[in-house]
Amino acid sequence: MKRLIRNITFMLAAGALVASCADYNVTDDFRAEPDPTFVEPYKDLAPVKTYIDRAKYPNLSLGATLKVADFNKQELAHAAAVTNFDDIAFGTSLMSGTIINSKGVMNFLDMKDLLDHMDEIGGEVFGSPIVANANQADDWLNTLTAPIEVQVEYVEGKAVNFNEQPVGPYSGTIDKGNAEIVSYDGQNVLQIASGSKAGQVRIIEGFEVDPLATYTTTFWAKVDKDASFTITFSGNKITGSGTDGKWTLKPGKWTKVVVEGRSAEGVTEGYLRIENGRNAPIYIQKVEVGYYPDNHRPQTVQERTDTINYALDAWCDGLMKINEGRITSFDLIDEPLDAKAELENGMLDLKHSTDKIFWQDVLGSENYAPAVSRVARENYEEYGGDPAQLRFFISETGLETQKRFESLKYWIGVWDNRGAKIDGINAKLNLTYSENPQTQAATEASLNTLLENLASTGKLIRLSNFDIKYQDASGANVAAKDISEAQRQQLADFYGHVIKSYMNKIPHDKQAGICKGNLADTSDPVGLWSIDSKSKDWVRTATYKAFCDALSGK
């Protein structure tokens, strides 16, 4: 691919590389606007990426991180990114959790827009993680792995025919009011009397309930006047169609009433209770209760595995179809390591979950990366991708901790041995500059160890999340709005130190690049640009110059 921007008219003047503002943003027929404001003392600096000696560092790529929405607006952040950086990463914006809904519908419109635009300007994208533990299409995976519906037979429970009981007191439970067996309409029936207070009578009871089952209770009732009443099944009020959720009966003939409900939580005794208010009496002829068992069963291990393999293939198919081979470098897996859980050999285990679908829990820890890389590679090639250009990285944070580094190296070895395609490591940085000399010395020593460890793997090495915060000697963070010029210079010098350390310690043929986190200051002074509080223009900081100097070898 072409570089993001072809700089057209640079000239050497007074020993400095000078270019007009417009030149920074020209690439064939594309012009990125507006330009970030270029003011003293750094207005004569060229775009950052132009300072890399491409002959000496042929693989070094300078990246920037943007949100898809900010990029597609083609405004200030877009202009700064395409002018100054070789490639752009979009964080979680292009992950399955953003793209796939609960029904499995994939929305690649934003991704297509940005890739088409990159084609127009000759830009490159570093691919978002293909799989991870976070930012996944959890609703879709839950839907796919939900229990399967099966055919079940109706289970008959208890039945009561009041015509078989003698006239007299009701032997069942009367929680309140009056009820008795009376002769009515040529047969014996249960009469639930009305009165000044509501009567509460259990018309069937004495059976155990399955808390997961929905019970169907059927009874035949008759009234001589309009009646409304409440029904409760094993502690749960069952809503009817009448006013306030009551059940209603009209006089004239026997009516079949069907009630479906589950027991209240913790209730194991089965019963159906009618609460009759100030109505005429309600007459009950007979009652039957039964249920259909839960008509779902969990997926078998094999079914679940087949389902997740289907989901992986469907996701990679959709992703690579839109990609059409344009993105050639991806994070294959993002942050696989657990924070504490260990294997028997002392290495950190992978993350596992009991309440979410984690790919590795179904595919198996040792087969995790091999399975993902195989499916992603096959789909990449199917849709026109050049296999010679494809590169997969494992991204992880906290690798400055020796145990985390050793653990990631162990897992990559396991996956390599099982045929995974793992070309590199994307080490996420978490750096802070400190005015405390001892703290800063420890930070720099930790950085050196990290880079040496990464170099020892023989893999391509990419550094990302390259934002450095600033702390004073007491350990308090210094905000962007409060940082002094001298402090900003110290911070810039540390940025330069990190870049030069990477360029010196990582073999040139293994340098996959450095990716800046934020281009402009946030609440922290992390930007190559600060933001003018009044005009909201972007103003180059000392960090911008530090990047230029370090990349040029100064």
Side-chain angles (χ1 to χ4, degrees):
M1 278 190 176
K2 296 179 292 182
R3 295 292 177 190
L4 285 181
I5 304 297
R6 289 181 179 173
N7 303 286
I8 296 180
T9 55
F10 286 107
M11 59 184 178
L12 205 58
L17 191 61
V18 181
S20 72
C21 294
D23 292 335
Y24 295 153
N25 286 339
V26 175
T27 171
D28 297 343
D29 297 326
F30 170 75
R31 183 178 298 274
E33 295 179 351
D35 281 332
T37 298
F38 303 149
V39 297
E40 296 290 0
Y42 307 117
K43 71 174 183 179
D44 292 335
L45 292 173
V48 176
K49 66 179 181 179
T50 64
Y51 289 90
I52 300 174
D53 185 341
R54 302 293 178 179
K56 188 175 182 180
Y57 303 100
N59 297 312
L60 180 59
S61 179
L62 191 62
T65 303
L66 278 185
K67 294 179 180 178
V68 170
D70 290 338
F71 180 80
N72 283 345
K73 287 177 184 176
Q74 297 187 23
E75 295 177 351
L76 204 73
H78 167 275
V82 300
T83 300
N84 290 278
F85 296 87
D86 294 312
D87 63 71
I88 301 177
F90 292 96
T92 64
S93 302
L94 304 182
M95 293 177 70
S96 65
T98 303
I99 291 172
I100 309 178
N101 70 11
S102 62
K103 295 181 180 179
V105 177
M106 301 184 189
N107 182 354
F108 286 105
L109 291 179
D110 286 343
M111 183 174 177
K112 185 179 187 304
D113 285 347
L114 74 87
L115 287 177
D116 289 348
H117 177 56
M118 282 296 201
D119 280 347
E120 294 172 2
I121 66 174
E124 295 180 11
V125 173
F126 187 90
S128 297
I130 294 174
V131 295
N133 302 308
N135 302 302
Q136 297 298 278
D138 293 326
D139 290 343
W140 179 50
L141 296 179
N142 287 335
T143 298
L144 289 176
T145 57
I148 297 172
E149 286 192 12
V150 294
Q151 186 173 355
V152 295
E153 298 293 333
Y154 182 76
V155 178
E156 293 184 357
K158 190 171 183 179
V160 177
N161 186 344
F162 294 110
N163 192 43
E164 298 173 353
Q165 298 184 16
V167 172
Y170 178 49
S171 59
T173 300
I174 302 174
D175 294 317
K176 187 186 294 184
N178 299 308
E180 59 182 326
I181 306 297
V182 300
S183 178
Y184 174 81
D185 201 22
Q187 59 187 314
N188 290 354
V189 297
L190 172 63
Q191 180 194 64
I192 302 175
S194 61
S196 59
K197 295 182 179 179
Q200 297 179 359
V201 179
R202 302 188 186 193
I203 65 172
I204 193 167
E205 59 186 328
F207 56 93
E208 292 185 1
V209 288
D210 179 345
L212 299 179
T214 298
Y215 285 78
T216 300
T217 307
T218 304
F219 63 91
W220 284 258
K222 187 176 180 182
V223 293
D224 294 327
K225 294 181 180 180
D226 287 355
S228 61
F229 51 94
T230 299
I231 293 179
T232 300
F233 179 82
S234 295
N236 258 341
K237 181 180 177 181
I238 309 301
T239 303
S241 59
T243 304
D244 297 327
K246 291 186 176 182
W247 295 72
T248 60
L249 286 175
K250 293 290 185 181
K253 61 180 180 178
W254 288 99
T255 301
K256 181 180 180 181
V257 181
V258 179
V259 180
E260 292 191 345
R262 288 187 169 190
S263 62
E265 184 176 357
V267 177
T268 59
E269 178 190 3
Y271 66 86
L272 189 134
R273 183 177 67 202
I274 290 180
E275 181 175 342
N276 186 21
R278 297 181 181 181
N279 304 308
I282 298 174
Y283 300 97
I284 309 297
Q285 186 185 66
K286 56 183 178 180
V287 189
E288 299 171 349
V289 64
Y291 69 97
Y292 283 98
D294 185 5
N295 65 333
H296 296 86
R297 64 161 178 81
Q299 293 187 21
T300 65
V301 173
Q302 187 60 54
E303 288 170 338
R304 191 178 175 89
T305 300
D306 291 344
T307 298
I308 289 300
N309 277 301
Y310 157 78
L312 178 62
D313 185 66
W315 161 234
C316 289
D317 180 84
L319 175 66
M320 295 307 180
K321 184 175 182 179
I322 288 293
N323 182 41
E324 297 177 319
R326 291 177 284 188
I327 302 174
T328 59
S329 294
F330 293 86
D331 275 339
L332 183 72
I333 299 173
D334 184 49
E335 299 187 16
L337 295 179
D338 194 271
K340 297 180 180 179
E342 294 183 359
L343 304 171
E344 291 182 357
N345 62 7
M347 296 292 103
L348 291 172
D349 195 1
L350 303 185
K351 293 174 182 174
H352 297 283
S353 177
T354 57
D355 58 353
K356 294 179 68 176
I357 306 298
F358 279 7
W359 302 96
Q360 61 270 29
D361 290 339
V362 180
L363 300 173
S365 296
E366 295 186 353
N367 195 48
Y368 183 24
V372 176
S373 68
R374 174 183 55 78
V375 174
R377 182 177 65 248
E378 288 174 354
N379 282 281
Y380 170 84
E381 294 178 12
E382 179 181 351
Y383 292 105
D386 181 355
Q389 295 185 20
L390 181 62
R391 302 187 302 178
F392 287 146
F393 292 77
I394 305 297
S395 56
E396 188 55 88
T397 186
L399 295 179
E400 63 276 7
T401 302
Q402 189 67 22
K403 186 167 186 175
R404 288 190 69 80
F405 168 75
E406 292 290 347
S407 298
L408 182 63
K409 185 177 179 181
Y410 163 78
W411 279 108
I412 289 177
V414 170
W415 294 332
D416 278 342
N417 289 335
R418 286 179 167 255
K421 176 178 173 58
I422 301 174
D423 302 284
I425 297 173
N426 185 9
K428 296 182 178 181
L429 300 178
N430 182 23
L431 295 173
T432 299
Y433 175 83
S434 175
E435 290 180 354
N436 183 300
Q438 290 76 28
T439 301
Q440 183 59 21
T443 297
E444 294 182 13
S446 177
L447 173 67
N448 288 337
T449 300
L450 169 64
L451 294 173
E452 291 167 359
N453 282 339
L454 291 171
S456 72
T457 66
K459 299 286 187 182
L460 295 170
I461 302 301
R462 183 175 187 264
L463 303 182
S464 62
N465 194 39
F466 188 31
D467 287 347
I468 305 178
K469 296 181 179 181
Y470 192 100
Q471 286 185 351
D472 63 21
S474 69
N477 283 353
V478 177
K481 63 182 180 61
D482 299 323
I483 195 167
S484 68
E485 185 176 334
Q487 288 173 322
R488 178 77 82 167
Q489 187 60 57
Q490 287 181 297
L491 178 61
D493 291 343
F494 187 42
Y495 269 106
H497 172 79
V498 175
I499 294 170
K500 287 186 284 187
S501 295
Y502 171 83
M503 295 171 73
N504 292 331
K505 291 184 179 295
I506 304 299
H508 294 190
D509 64 336
K510 302 300 180 183
Q511 293 176 359
I514 300 173
C515 185
K516 189 70 179 71
N518 288 281
L519 300 183
D521 285 349
T522 60
S523 57
D524 293 302
V526 295
L528 277 71
W529 291 266
S530 61
I531 301 177
D532 186 272
S533 59
K534 294 182 180 179
S535 68
K536 302 304 179 182
D537 284 335
W538 286 21
V539 180
R540 289 172 172 176
T541 69
T543 299
Y544 188 103
K545 184 175 187 301
F547 265 68
C548 297
D549 290 346
L551 292 169
S552 64
K554 291 184 181 180

